[in-house]
Amino acid sequence: MKQPELGQKISELRKSKGLTQEELVEQCNISVRTIQRIEAGDVTPRSYTIKTILSALDYDLERIQTEESRVAKEFKKLFLLDIDDSKEVGFLIKQLSIAWISGIVYFILGFAEIVVDYYRYTEDLMVTNNFVYIVLKIGMLASVILFTRGFILTGKIFKNYLLRITAFIFIFIGVLFYIYDILSLYIVDFDYQFVLGAEAVTYGVIGILFGISILRLQNGLGTLATVTGIFEIITYGFMVTIILSLIGLVLLTPTIILEIILLYKVSQMLKAKQKEIAPD
């Protein structure tokens, strides 16, 4: 555990024991100034110092490390950031199947989202009630997360780190913007033009890098990766300009279709591999 989390944890443990910093000092023979700086997160103490403090607080260092590793492990497992190389091919095929099917759902729901948002932002008219709007946005968010996880997995399979990191960033910014869409229903004053502009630039920059990472799949996926990567770069290149973002929005349709096909092809490649290694 690193600072400032370590200092916060020590402070919480000390207070739960009902100890002041001075009383803790008496038990572990460390200066008050050192304790203050550790709890404030100003310094990272040596392992011996940490063990001494935690021993005085009747707390095992391994418990902190276990808590931290468990959270990190579950997080990585959720977003497929850390896939055990020993995982069965069947697991990988299942995850990729979920991804490209989610891509189809995302593609279909996207048309409804465009209509709803068009009237909301350009005509100041809600064509649905808030409940339906929220359900639509949550459905879009869930499908885009599951869809994009497929590219994180593809990046793992083809050892393409750039693809994995850009796909994860796509998920992260997607969560932020979809949450904002929902919260904006209850915020009276918000500059939607600024938000849409920020969204176009953010997606544009990450999308271009995403396209470059897709191009790096040429050796394994051939022409499909080349075409998809080029579409990604052109589509998000238009978006990042803001002025021409509408063209990028139109090009997003064939781009998403190519992404779905690409994930489907990867899943089929794994199925073929599974058949090869299956016993007769």
Side-chain angles (χ1 to χ4, degrees):
M1 180 178 289
K2 299 180 180 179
Q3 291 288 28
E5 291 84 359
L6 176 62
Q8 293 171 352
K9 185 66 176 180
I10 290 175
S11 178
E12 291 172 3
L13 291 171
R14 176 178 59 76
K15 292 176 181 178
S16 69
K17 291 285 186 180
L19 299 174
T20 64
Q21 291 179 332
E22 289 75 13
E23 290 171 333
L24 178 58
V25 164
E26 293 177 0
Q27 295 188 29
C28 58
N29 195 29
I30 297 174
S31 69
V32 175
R33 178 57 181 161
T34 299
I35 293 293
Q36 290 174 339
R37 294 182 68 191
I38 291 173
E39 291 190 358
D42 295 333
V43 297
T44 300
R46 293 174 298 178
S47 59
Y48 173 78
T49 303
I50 297 174
K51 291 179 180 178
T52 301
I53 295 174
L54 293 179
S55 177
L57 294 170
D58 298 322
Y59 200 86
D60 190 352
L61 176 61
E62 291 185 0
R63 288 177 62 187
I64 291 181
Q65 296 172 334
T66 301
E67 290 171 3
E68 180 186 21
S69 61
R70 185 183 298 116
V71 173
K73 184 177 180 180
E74 290 302 318
F75 180 83
K76 291 180 178 180
K77 181 179 178 181
L78 175 63
F79 292 105
L80 303 178
L81 291 173
D82 188 18
I83 302 294
D84 188 345
D85 291 332
S86 65
K87 281 286 187 182
E88 294 182 0
V89 177
F91 169 82
L92 304 179
I93 294 173
K94 179 181 178 181
Q95 295 300 320
L96 284 168
S97 296
I98 291 174
W100 67 259
I101 291 172
S102 297
I104 294 175
V105 174
Y106 171 67
F107 180 76
I108 294 172
L109 289 179
F111 289 105
E113 182 187 37
I114 290 173
V115 172
V116 171
D117 282 344
Y118 172 80
Y119 280 102
R120 181 187 179 193
Y121 294 128
T122 62
E123 305 294 332
D124 195 24
L125 174 66
M126 285 292 291
V127 296
T128 66
N129 57 42
N130 286 0
F131 177 76
V132 174
Y133 183 83
I134 291 173
V135 170
L136 174 62
K137 289 295 181 177
I138 292 176
M140 286 292 293
L141 178 57
S143 59
V144 76
I145 288 175
L146 294 174
F147 180 38
T148 311
R149 282 169 79 244
F151 289 98
I152 295 177
L153 181 54
T154 299
K156 171 68 176 180
I157 294 171
F158 289 94
K159 303 185 186 306
N160 187 330
Y161 182 77
L162 180 61
L163 179 58
R164 295 178 68 196
I165 192 64
T166 51
F168 177 73
I169 294 174
F170 258 131
I171 291 176
F172 179 74
I173 60 179
V175 170
L176 292 181
F177 283 121
Y178 276 110
I179 289 177
Y180 181 84
D181 281 342
I182 294 173
L183 292 180
S184 66
L185 292 173
Y186 308 99
I187 300 175
V188 178
D189 297 318
F190 73 99
D191 188 348
Y192 72 86
Q193 291 182 334
F194 172 79
V195 174
L196 292 178
E199 189 172 352
V201 172
T202 305
Y203 275 115
V205 172
I206 300 303
I208 291 172
L209 293 175
F210 186 74
I212 294 173
S213 68
I214 293 292
L215 287 175
R216 294 184 177 182
L217 298 175
Q218 294 176 71
N219 290 338
L221 298 174
T223 305
L224 178 59
T226 303
V227 174
T228 304
I230 291 174
F231 263 88
E232 297 278 357
I233 294 172
I234 294 175
T235 298
Y236 290 105
F238 278 119
M239 283 190 178
V240 80
T241 65
I242 298 180
I243 297 175
L244 301 175
S245 58
L246 185 59
I247 298 176
L249 188 62
V250 172
L251 290 175
L252 195 58
T253 297
T255 300
I256 294 175
I257 292 174
L258 286 169
E259 290 175 349
I260 294 171
I261 295 173
L262 188 144
L263 290 182
Y264 176 77
K265 181 174 181 178
V266 176
S267 69
Q268 294 305 301
M269 288 176 61
L270 288 180
K271 284 184 179 180
K273 179 179 179 182
Q274 186 181 43
K275 290 181 179 179
E276 289 177 6
I277 62 177
D280 295 332

